[in-house]
Amino acid sequence: MRVAVLGTGMVGHAVVGQLAKSRAVAEVVAVDAEQSRVERIAAAANRPNVTGRTVNLGDEATVTGLLREFDIAVNCLPAVLTLQTTRAAIAGNCHLVDLSNAAYTEKLELDDSAKAAGVLVVTGCGVAPGIVGILAARGAELLDEADEAVMICGGLPRHPVPPLWYQVVFSVDSLFQLYRKHSLAAENGQLVQIPPFSGLETIEFDAPVGECEAVITDAWSVPYTLRHKVKRIYEKTVRYKGHWSKLATLAELGFMSDTPVEAGGVQVSPYELTKRVLEPQMKGGSVEDITVARVTVTGMYRGQPAKVQWEMTDFFDPLRNMTSMARTTGFPAVVMAEWIAEARMGERGIRTPEQLITGNRFEPFLAALHEEGIRIAYTGNPVPEAEGERP
């Protein structure tokens, strides 16, 4: 199988390196708009089955032509390009594993086209969205009745610095949208929009993480896919203690507003000013990071209240000089691409990881992540047993 990796940033770099070692993949082509990035990632892989190509990835027709040459593509591009990349993959008759779950409802409108093309598009196949949704779906699968699923996840600096105790990993603009946009959730089987900074709670993880806080953020596709199985569905994003509280105060005071104010005879956007002031405060000196996740599903099992729960604490990998966020985001996509290459995924159309990694696929998927050092531990009630199918 020939696989194209679209985008050679932090996550794309990790994906290329992993796919290059796969026995199911004959060739990996790293694709980017910048020649220097393509050359760097091919050199880092240092394998004869890895090459690079420079392509304008913002042009849909160009990407369509490119993908006609490949069996599978892994999309590591910014979320703004996810919908047009999906259209290009379908038109190019190329299976797609996409890290982003943006534009989910628009992608669903392409489901019939993808099926007609014989293509599987897996959307949102990272850590969140991705792993946490898979765990939530598993919880609903194990219980007789699922009342609530709470997916908690976050990337944290290993060496946090004040005053915000956070370090930007991806896009600054994407980060700041967490402080401004409503978040999708599900309540009583209905889709709902939750205001920013809702559900603030203190949460504890084992050392070295310690005390953190979390608020409700967008749950992406999971409210759509699981709302008929779970009554209440929320996702929460974790930060070190104090981060969300400080940003909530700024938002309450109007610092996240787009409405211009006059300052010194000049019209200024409070949001743009705040972003410029705070951005340097969230750039640390170390790339070492930690990714934490905790997914809890509560409900009933055999007439008794029950809870199933999984937890992950993943660290920067010094041997591969790879951030935890790159690993936990990229490696689920690698496993999915390998399984498609091995003809283990017979579905076609637009699908999410929580729809695909169910039943007998669940444990092998976690085992594949475990082989690469991503360990997800079951920490819930002993009944029902999480290690096997329901009795």
Side-chain angles (χ1 to χ4, degrees), residues 316-357:
F316 173 83
D317 184 347
L319 296 179
R320 290 186 277 196
N321 192 32
M322 187 180 297
T323 66
S324 169
M325 185 56 66
R327 285 159 27 84
T328 57
T329 302
F331 288 8
V334 170
V335 176
M336 189 68 73
E338 287 183 309
W339 285 14
I340 294 172
E342 295 167 349
R344 297 172 64 175
M345 309 299 293
E347 292 87 346
R348 296 295 180 264
I350 309 297
R351 296 290 182 271
T352 64
E354 68 268 16
Q355 292 174 311
L356 295 170
I357 306 301

Side-chain angles (χ1 to χ4, degrees), residues 5 30 58 62 71 74 86 92 104 144 153 162 167 192 208 225 263 265 275 305 323 326 377 387:
V5 178
T62 300
D71 302 294
V74 179
T86 300
Y104 175 65
D144 293 327
C153 187
Q167 187 167 316
V192 295
T225 57
K275 187 168 64 172
T323 66
E387 64 270 14

